[in-house]
């Protein structure tokens, strides 16, 4: 009975808003079944009554960061478009230096503007969520890269990043790279980045063992605390490339820009993160991805269509929520068939990949086929 009531309540809420989207987008020949891409949907929706059903409060950095914010937002606006709902994003003040107070204000503004659901990407949102969620029990919150915080109106969505990182590290070594680098965001405190990096090291280690080789790896959290590009970060990575590093896994938002610039100057390679970043630079050989847009749509569907919310969603290979973008990678020596075979083993738990998010220094993890360079 409670579930039925929740569904009916959601339907009432849906129809109380003036929509910005629409499920029919005719092509020039009158076809209304055309596929709509994320870029086809405007980032700004004008609501007739000034209220917005779906809101997103951005993580640090800009909305169009080519990574975490952008693809989380893609999921929000696609769901809104397909279900005739209004939508709006809120950028906390002070950009990459946003404080908890800035995030609290952005979330509060979204609630006061009539949000039914607020999507909050990034672990830095935790303090603000604890301040805002209890005050708005009728607003549903989606905590991306988050966890179950014990509120009935919040769902934490997390990913098995270690699996995506493993695939990237394994692919790099099987492709023939023997001098690898990892540059991580959050200063070694971000659980998702730690899982990505530790998985990357585990994958490289296993591939090296399979080939009977030892590979080198530089591994650092320096200059990544703000997840942003910087001259200091670029200088460090340029030094790595000059010392022989062949490919660096850039794990942290717009930090990627520093890595790409250093790689381009050195005619070297990078690995992207979270989304397929090959569109951002020709240096990208592949990306360790997670289905940000798709998982947002899954969470919103559970609320609007199923009347279910709260708790947690943990998504990985079994959900096709992590992996490598085989259609755009530039790998030549490791085949898609080989990738698919490895992916199936991960899905079936035939490969043990540690997801210990306390291992920010894999050099202490007993990976015998990697020599860590300081």
């Amino acid at each position: 009975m409670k579930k039925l009531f929740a569904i009916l309540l959601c339907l009432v809420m849906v129809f109380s808003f003036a929509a910005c989207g629409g499920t029919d987008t005719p092509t020039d020949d009158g076809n209304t079944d055309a596929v709509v891409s994320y870029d086809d949907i405007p980032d700004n929706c004008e609501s007739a009554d000034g209220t917005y059903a779906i809101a997103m409060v951005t993580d640090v950095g800009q909305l169009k960061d080519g990574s975490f914010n952008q693809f989380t937002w893609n999921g929000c606006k696609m769901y809104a478009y397909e279900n005739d709902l209004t939508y709006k994003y809120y950028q906390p003040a002070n950009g990459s230096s946003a404080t908890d107070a800035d995030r609290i204000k952005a979330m509060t503004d979204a609630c006061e503007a009539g949000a039914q659901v607020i999507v909050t990407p990034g672990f830095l949102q935790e303090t603000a969520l604890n301040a805002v969620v209890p005050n708005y029990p009728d607003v549903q919150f989606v905590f991306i890269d988050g966890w179950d915080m014990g509120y009935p109106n919040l769902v934490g969505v997390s990913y098995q990043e270690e699996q995506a990182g493993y695939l990237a590290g394994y692919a790099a070594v099987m492709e023939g790279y023997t001098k690898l680098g990892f540059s991580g965001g959050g200063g070694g405190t971000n659980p998702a980045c730690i899982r990505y990096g530790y998985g990357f090291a585990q994958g490289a280690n296993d591939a090296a063992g399979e080939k009977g080789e030892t590979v080198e790896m530089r591994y650092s959290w320096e200059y990544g605390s703000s997840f942003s590009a910087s001259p200091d970060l670029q200088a460090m990575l340029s030094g790595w490339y000059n010392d022989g590093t062949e490919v660096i896994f850039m794990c942290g938002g717009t930090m990627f820009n520093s890595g790409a610039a250093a790689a381009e100057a050195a005619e070297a390679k990078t690995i992207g993160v979270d989304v397929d970043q090959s569109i951002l630079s020709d240096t990208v050989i592949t990306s360790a991805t997670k289905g940000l847009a798709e998982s947002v749509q899954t969470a919103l569907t559970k609320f609007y269509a199923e009347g279910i919310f709260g708790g947690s969603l943990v998504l990985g290979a079994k959900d096709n929520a992590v992996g490598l973008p085989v259609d755009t990678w530039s790998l030549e020596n490791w085949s898609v068939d080989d990738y698919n075979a490895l992916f199936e083993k991960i899905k079936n738990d035939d490969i043990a990949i540690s997801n210990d998010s306390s291992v920010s220094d894999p050099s202490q993890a007993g990976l015998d086929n990697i020599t860590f360079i300081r």
Side-chain angles (χ1 to χ4, degrees):
M1 186 68 181
K2 289 183 178 178
K3 181 176 178 180
L4 176 60
F5 177 77
I7 294 173
L8 292 174
L9 176 61
C10 290
L11 291 173
V12 170
M13 293 165 73
V14 166
F15 288 109
S16 69
F17 282 80
C20 292
T23 55
D24 295 330
T25 302
T27 60
D28 292 338
D29 61 3
N31 177 23
T32 59
D33 296 322
V35 175
V36 176
S37 73
Y38 297 125
D39 290 338
D40 293 331
I41 304 171
D43 290 320
N44 297 300
C45 162
E46 294 298 328
S47 167
D49 61 0
T51 59
Y52 296 89
I54 296 175
M56 186 184 91
V57 175
T58 64
D59 195 8
V60 292
Q62 299 302 309
L63 179 72
K64 294 294 189 178
D65 60 0
S67 184
F68 206 68
N69 280 328
Q70 184 171 342
F71 282 78
T72 302
W73 180 234
N74 283 346
C76 293
K77 66 181 185 177
M78 179 62 79
Y79 186 88
Y81 174 85
E82 291 180 341
N83 293 276
D84 292 325
L85 293 166
T86 51
Y87 55 93
K88 183 175 181 177
Y89 71 89
Y90 294 78
Q91 190 99 36
N94 297 310
S96 295
S97 299
T99 65
D100 290 328
D102 295 328
R103 286 182 276 272
I104 289 170
K105 183 178 187 308
M107 290 182 198
T108 301
D109 288 347
C111 291
E112 292 299 316
Q116 298 168 3
V117 183
I118 299 178
V119 179
T120 60
F123 81 115
L124 293 174
Q125 310 270 18
E126 179 187 14
T127 298
L129 286 167
N130 274 320
V132 176
V133 173
N135 296 329
Y136 294 91
D138 295 328
V139 178
Q140 307 300 318
F141 293 81
V142 182
F143 187 12
I144 299 293
D145 255 11
W147 48 88
D148 182 356
M149 296 174 64
Y151 299 110
N153 58 325
L154 180 146
V155 62
V157 180
S158 61
Y159 305 86
Q160 293 175 284
E161 291 93 353
E162 70 280 359
Q163 296 178 342
Y166 183 97
L167 288 163
Y170 193 98
V173 173
M174 296 306 289
E175 179 66 8
Y177 296 104
T178 60
K179 299 179 186 299
L180 316 178
F182 171 84
S183 179
T189 64
N190 179 281
C193 289
I194 292 173
R195 289 193 294 269
Y196 267 131
Y198 187 24
F200 180 69
Q202 291 175 78
N205 183 72
D206 286 358
E210 185 173 326
K211 297 178 75 173
E213 299 176 348
T214 298
V215 299
E216 296 180 358
M217 184 177 291
R218 287 178 166 85
Y219 201 99
S220 177
W221 300 99
E222 287 189 84
Y223 310 117
S225 59
S226 67
F227 299 89
S228 299
S230 73
D232 288 337
L233 176 60
Q234 185 173 331
M236 182 186 78
L237 301 177
S238 293
W240 288 9
Y241 284 126
N242 291 336
D243 287 340
T245 299
E246 299 164 314
V247 59
I248 299 174
F249 181 18
M250 295 302 305
C251 185
T254 56
M255 288 173 61
F256 173 83
N257 296 334
S258 291
E264 288 167 5
E267 297 184 352
K269 300 298 181 182
T270 61
I271 294 171
V273 74
D274 285 341
V275 300
D276 181 1
Q277 294 191 307
S278 63
I279 60 172
L280 301 180
S281 172
D282 291 337
T283 67
V284 176
I285 61 169
T286 190
S287 299
T289 67
K290 54 190 181 187
L292 292 167
E294 295 80 5
S295 60
V296 169
Q297 293 174 77
T298 296
L300 291 172
T301 298
K302 284 188 174 297
F303 170 59
Y304 279 110
E306 301 175 22
I308 300 172
F309 227 75
S312 63
L313 288 173
V314 181
L315 306 174
K318 290 181 179 179
D319 310 287
N320 291 313
V322 298
L324 305 182
V326 297
D327 291 337
T328 60
W329 74 14
S330 61
L331 305 181
E332 298 178 351
N333 301 320
W334 197 55
S335 72
V336 174
D337 287 342
D338 290 335
Y339 166 79
N340 288 335
L342 181 63
F343 189 84
E344 285 301 313
K345 289 180 180 179
I346 293 173
K347 283 179 67 173
N348 296 328
D349 295 323
D350 294 331
I351 296 175
I353 307 172
S354 174
N355 66 349
D356 188 344
S357 57
S358 69
V359 183
S360 59
D361 183 4
S363 70
Q364 306 300 310
L367 301 176
D368 296 334
N369 304 311
I370 300 178
T371 300
F372 287 89
I373 307 297
R374 299 299 182 185

